[in-house]
Amino acid sequence: MAAVSQLQRQFIEYTTSLYNEGYLDDQYTQLQKLQDESNPDFVVEVVSLFFEDSEKLLNNLATALQQKIVDYKQVDSHVHQFKGSSSSIGAQRVTNVCIHFRNFCEEKNLDGCLRCLQQLKHEYIQVRNKLEGLFRLEQQILQAGGSVPMMESICTSASTMSSSGKLSA
Amino acid sequence: MTEGIHGFSSPRADVFPAGLRVLVVDDDPTWLKILEKMLKKCSYEVTTCGLAIEALDLLRERKDGFDIVISDVNMPDMDGFKLLEHVGLEMDLPVLMMSVDGETSRVMRGVQHGACDYLLKPIRMKELRNIWQHVYRKKIHEVKDSESHEGLEEILMMRNVSEQQSDDGYLFCGGDMTPGSRKRKDSEHNKYEEKDFADHSSVKKARVVWTVDLHQKFVKAVNLIGFEKVGPKKILDLMNVPWLTRENVASHLQKYRLYLTRLQKDDLKTSASGTKHPDINPRDTTEKRTEPIKIQQNEAVSSHRTTNHTIHEVDVKGNNAALQTIKPKKMITGYAAKTSIHPFESTQYSQFNSVLPTQYSWGGGFKEIQFKQENNNNNAPQFQVHNSCFTGVGLPAQQNTSIPSFQLPDPVIGPTWSMKQDPCTEQTSINNMELSPFLLQGQHCSSTNVDHQNKGVTVTKFNDQEFINDALKFDYDYEYPDLWEYPVIGQGLFIV
């Protein structure tokens, strides 16, 4: 069906751009590989868990940084947790902000921390939106009777796509 | 274990490592889910846990129910390294650590605490596929160990040689020398082991599995004897486990000592650098203490092997604050533990014991205690901790010295405290512990109302878990000097 192949193409392009722009990395691919018939919604489930956890962590961070006397150890441990969970789904940009954030924690630089928190929120919301968009596309493909293209093949063709200029961010 | 590796004996040999029973511990729900999926893909049997305490409970409940444990390093309720130590000591399973943080120092700590491997997140399938090697390796070493003593002598010789070469030589002697022993750069360890082996020439028996019960008996015995005076033979005698050999006890004792030391060091570090544990910061106050004392404290704390986590993570509140509550007792306990211990079973004491704590906390006990002391002065009051959770307290000549001189000598080794186990034990233990300090102090007060001991025996309050927890809380508050400054004499000095 034309609709399906169109959707599939869209999906591929979209996914490729996410990888290229660093929103997702190889870990996300790994997750895709883990998904199988016994667990067809595995990726969505894991990502949902991540969203839940992240929101909690962001709140905790905000609270911790609002204290009169900021406990940087506590802040650092939250960031560490966030780093861990973002790495679990391959949310690369989020993980990178965490790294910077931890440096500020070590320096007890409140300003730096607050800025990182803002950045963290921003990156998190971005990746969340992107993933939600991706899932929607997947649903559309499935509903149109097609199958979702495998990540691996998408990733490998990413370079060819970009070189051929087909890539649309 | 001679029938083989649990689950890996012949029938399953062909399918090994499929069905490997893995316990995954991680507070991150996302990772837990992913790891579970990955491990299932490897055809392993997976159990997940979000908390370290839960994991320990599970492991204890289902002894021999798991082959390997994978745990994250950072968890809210317990440091992953601590969990690692516990598992190694109690269940002796291979443990893999994981973290998103790959700093060398952390990895090193993991290895020091006995981790079989340290995985960096994000973890790949191929890494998980191979974890069975750790289980296999351990099994092989166990089998080796239980073979003839020829092997033993060889090992001994090797060790001698390597020891001459360097302290670290032990590490290069080869794999696990003794069942479950870990490679450690510890010359004390070396010497001890050597001496141990040299003492006997019998064939090494099959591996002993140190179950929770067995370990508890062990700790009780250690506490009874007094950590300083402990020795495998004594422990063995006290434990009264017919099939257990002195060698078994000896090697377990080594592990135990090292475990305590390591935890101690960790606590020092964590207290210095802060911990992730929100409400559990037992070591915060340790910084003020002298090293040795800390060790004692922590040993004591660490010796707790209960599911009652509060005991483990004793919250050592401020020393000063301690004085207001039961705290001082602990200190003395330590001291008491150190003094000569003569098993002394007396009903008087038991009553006394039970009374003490409560009374103490109510400000009246102290007096009582003193007197009690007086009473038994001549017998160098010593009493044995009932439930053997506690080291007996001996009050040697000090009794007549002034309080100030009553220095908590070298911090007595901790394990007096094993407040682990049953609640009733706890209660008594507390009693005992508190008893000691009082006894000491009592020395000075000569007024004597021996009858006091009969008074207010309503210890019942002690049963109060809270009380117990509080008591435990202040745990090794070795700030003896403060305590001793209180005029021992007065009544109601220790008004809580």
Side-chain angles (χ1 to χ4, degrees):
Chain A
M1 270 173 64
V4 171
S5 50
Q6 197 180 19
L7 285 169
Q8 284 171 332
R9 241 179 320 164
Q10 244 186 299
F11 180 81
I12 293 173
E13 282 173 7
Y14 194 54
T15 310
T16 310
S17 72
L18 291 185
Y19 277 86
N20 285 347
E21 290 165 30
Y23 286 103
L24 294 176
D25 64 21
D26 187 53
Q27 178 62 15
Y28 191 73
T29 316
Q30 298 296 320
L31 285 190
Q32 292 285 5
K33 288 196 198 164
L34 285 176
Q35 187 162 286
D36 56 22
E37 301 80 43
S38 68
N39 230 161
D41 297 317
F42 180 69
V43 181
V44 175
E45 284 169 12
V46 173
V47 174
S48 309
L49 275 174
F50 167 68
F51 288 163
E52 260 178 56
D53 208 31
S54 301
E55 267 146 54
K56 251 187 264 167
L57 284 169
L58 285 170
N59 283 337
N60 291 344
L61 274 169
T63 309
L65 286 171
Q66 275 159 19
Q67 299 302 310
K68 287 212 172 115
I69 301 180
V70 176
D71 179 357
Y72 287 99
K73 286 292 161 202
Q74 181 73 321
V75 176
D76 183 72
S77 98
H78 288 313
V79 179
H80 181 93
Q81 258 187 281
F82 209 161
K83 185 178 174 206
S85 64
S86 57
S87 70
S88 75
I89 65 152
Q92 201 186 72
R93 285 164 82 127
V94 174
T95 309
N96 289 342
V97 177
C98 287
I99 296 174
H100 293 304
F101 203 151
R102 292 195 80 192
N103 289 338
F104 285 125
C105 283
E106 226 178 277
E107 297 167 17
K108 301 202 191 232
N109 182 336
L110 183 60
D111 196 48
C113 284
L114 288 168
R115 276 184 283 127
C116 271
L117 180 58
Q118 280 312 107
Q119 243 191 309
L120 210 52
K121 281 188 185 159
H122 173 77
E123 290 299 340
Y124 164 69
I125 290 171
Q126 288 236 295
V127 80
R128 189 185 62 191
N129 292 344
K130 304 271 182 189
L131 283 169
E132 282 173 348
L134 204 61
F135 294 149
R136 267 195 302 269
L137 262 178
E138 281 184 7
Q139 281 304 304
Q140 285 178 301
I141 295 174
L142 292 171
Q143 273 160 19
S147 59
V148 181
M150 277 306 291
M151 281 302 191
E152 199 168 27
S153 41
I154 295 174
C155 288
T156 44
S157 60
S159 40
T160 39
M161 283 186 93
S162 42
S163 54
S164 64
K166 256 171 143 196
L167 179 59
S168 55
Chain B
M1 291 266 212
T2 35
E3 86 258 303
I5 301 154
H6 291 279
F8 297 113
S9 41
S10 335
R12 297 208 57 153
D14 54 327
V15 292
F16 178 81
L20 193 70
R21 295 159 306 168
V22 187
L23 176 65
V24 186
V25 192
D26 197 333
D27 65 318
D28 185 333
T30 330
W31 269 115
L32 211 54
K33 192 174 173 78
I34 296 175
L35 288 166
E36 184 184 29
K37 185 78 181 155
M38 288 169 84
L39 289 164
K40 283 195 172 147
K41 283 237 163 184
C42 297
S43 309
Y44 294 154
E45 217 181 86
V46 192
T47 311
T48 58
C49 243
L51 286 175
I53 310 176
E54 248 178 63
L56 265 180
D57 284 344
L58 249 181
L59 284 164
R60 285 170 181 154
E61 253 175 72
R62 292 202 246 162
K63 306 178 187 184
D64 298 334
F66 296 99
D67 299 307
I68 188 167
V69 179
I70 306 184
S71 167
D72 189 80
V73 166
N74 294 84
M75 285 187 289
D77 63 332
M78 188 197 281
D79 187 5
F81 295 126
K82 275 217 183 76
L83 175 63
L84 166 57
E85 291 271 1
H86 277 295
V87 175
L89 209 55
E90 293 181 39
M91 294 110 204
D92 200 23
L93 289 174
V95 183
L96 304 187
M97 303 303 293
M98 313 180 274
S99 180
V100 69
D101 183 358
E103 260 170 52
T104 310
S105 56
R106 299 219 99 203
V107 178
M108 196 173 299
R109 271 184 80 193
V111 176
Q112 279 169 349
H113 285 273
C116 291
D117 204 351
Y118 194 104
L119 306 173
L120 282 190
K121 288 175 168 174
I123 302 180
R124 290 285 170 266
M125 276 294 286
K126 52 189 171 190
E127 295 174 66
L128 289 183
R129 266 195 227 281
N130 281 340
I131 62 174
W132 59 265
Q133 61 174 287
H134 302 290
V135 181
Y136 190 59
R137 187 179 295 122
K138 220 175 173 84
K139 299 301 179 187
I140 292 185
H141 284 135
E142 279 173 31
V143 171
K144 258 198 215 152
D145 288 332
S146 35
E147 272 162 12
S148 76
H149 71 98
E150 273 168 15
L152 204 73
E153 282 176 340
E154 257 174 55
I155 293 172
L156 187 57
M157 270 171 17
M158 273 161 70
R159 205 178 297 142
N160 279 335
V161 170
S162 59
E163 223 191 43
Q164 284 157 22
Q165 288 165 3
S166 78
D167 277 351
D168 294 355
Y170 176 66
L171 277 180
F172 302 110
C173 275
D176 298 337
M177 294 297 184
T178 47
S181 75
R182 307 273 165 89
K183 295 179 190 172
R184 296 189 188 114
K185 300 185 186 190
D186 189 336
S187 54
E188 185 206 340
H189 174 73
N190 286 347
K191 289 181 193 129
Y192 190 90
E193 275 247 87
E194 222 178 75
K195 172 180 170 246
D196 193 27
F197 283 118
D199 282 351
H200 72 98
S201 52
S202 55
V203 176
K204 213 130 196 244
K205 308 218 171 106
R207 272 209 84 217
V208 168
V209 176
W210 281 87
T211 61
V212 180
D213 300 323
L214 197 59
H215 181 74
Q216 282 173 1
K217 279 201 182 125
F218 168 83
V219 182
K220 273 186 198 176
V222 169
N223 293 340
L224 263 173
I225 300 169
F227 202 74
E228 293 277 280
K229 302 160 118 6
V230 84
K233 181 92 181 52
K234 289 184 189 171
I235 299 176
L236 185 62
D237 290 340
L238 273 177
M239 280 176 74
N240 195 24
V241 176
W243 53 269
L244 199 64
T245 69
R246 192 179 153 279
E247 299 77 48
N248 301 140
V249 175
S251 71
H252 193 73
L253 179 62
Q254 284 166 42
K255 277 171 80 172
Y256 186 60
R257 279 191 169 139
L258 284 159
Y259 152 80
L260 292 174
T261 322
R262 272 200 303 277
L263 278 182
Q264 166 56 41
K265 283 193 201 136
D266 265 4
D267 292 334
L268 289 176
K269 279 190 207 150
T270 45
S271 62
S273 59
T275 56
K276 211 178 161 194
H277 308 160
D279 32 288
I280 308 170
N281 275 310
R283 332 294 165 194
D284 279 348
T285 47
T286 56
E287 286 175 55
K288 307 174 197 159
R289 313 264 173 63
T290 49
E291 267 281 314
I293 293 181
K294 286 181 198 167
I295 292 177
Q296 311 311 334
Q297 289 178 332
N298 286 302
E299 281 177 344
V301 179
S302 335
S303 69
H304 296 186
R305 284 184 194 292
T306 39
T307 48
N308 180 351
H309 221 60
T310 49
I311 296 180
H312 267 285
E313 310 288 350
V314 163
D315 197 348
V316 183
K317 301 211 175 127
N319 303 333
N320 302 322
L323 288 173
Q324 275 143 44
T325 41
I326 318 171
K327 306 197 183 171
K329 295 177 197 160
K330 302 273 171 100
M331 303 198 320
I332 301 184
T333 304
Y335 176 84
K338 179 160 175 114
T339 52
S340 56
I341 294 148
H342 306 276
F344 180 92
E345 263 144 50
S346 146
T347 31
Q348 282 182 316
Y349 275 120
S350 32
Q351 182 185 15
F352 191 88
N353 290 346
S354 50
V355 174
L356 281 180
T358 333
Q359 295 185 338
Y360 181 66
S361 53
W362 303 27
F366 186 73
K367 187 163 89 168
E368 258 76 78
I369 298 171
Q370 299 174 9
F371 302 136
K372 186 65 174 178
Q373 161 88 41
E374 286 288 271
N375 216 12
N376 301 284
N377 226 349
N378 312 318
N379 308 330
Q382 295 139 0
F383 47 96
Q384 202 173 42
V385 169
H386 301 302
N387 314 314
S388 52
C389 285
F390 200 47
T391 311
V393 178
L395 301 169
Q398 302 211 311
Q399 303 186 352
N400 297 311
T401 43
S402 49
I403 296 179
S405 52
F406 174 67
Q407 301 278 341
L408 262 186
D410 331 43
V412 178
I413 309 267
T416 40
W417 266 130
S418 355
M419 292 283 238
K420 30 192 176 154
Q421 305 115 65
D422 17 297
C424 51
T425 313
E426 272 174 16
Q427 180 179 338
T428 349
S429 327
I430 296 182
N431 295 339
N432 294 325
M433 296 193 287
E434 300 169 29
L435 186 48
S436 14
F438 298 126
L439 288 183
L440 288 168
Q441 294 198 13
Q443 285 305 312
H444 309 279
C445 291
S446 1
S447 19
T448 337
N449 307 328
V450 184
D451 352 297
H452 278 283
Q453 34 176 281
N454 300 315
K455 284 192 202 165
V457 179
T458 31
V459 200
T460 34
K461 304 296 166 115
F462 256 106
N463 295 333
D464 200 337
Q465 186 62 36
E466 202 185 16
F467 171 98
I468 292 174
N469 286 344
D470 272 342
L472 287 176
K473 273 192 178 169
F474 84 107
D475 213 339
Y476 320 108
D477 192 340
Y478 282 85
E479 241 167 42
Y480 289 76
D482 290 351
L483 177 60
W484 298 120
E485 276 159 32
Y486 278 52
V488 170
I489 329 290
Q491 289 188 20
L493 272 187
F494 287 74
I495 293 175
V496 175

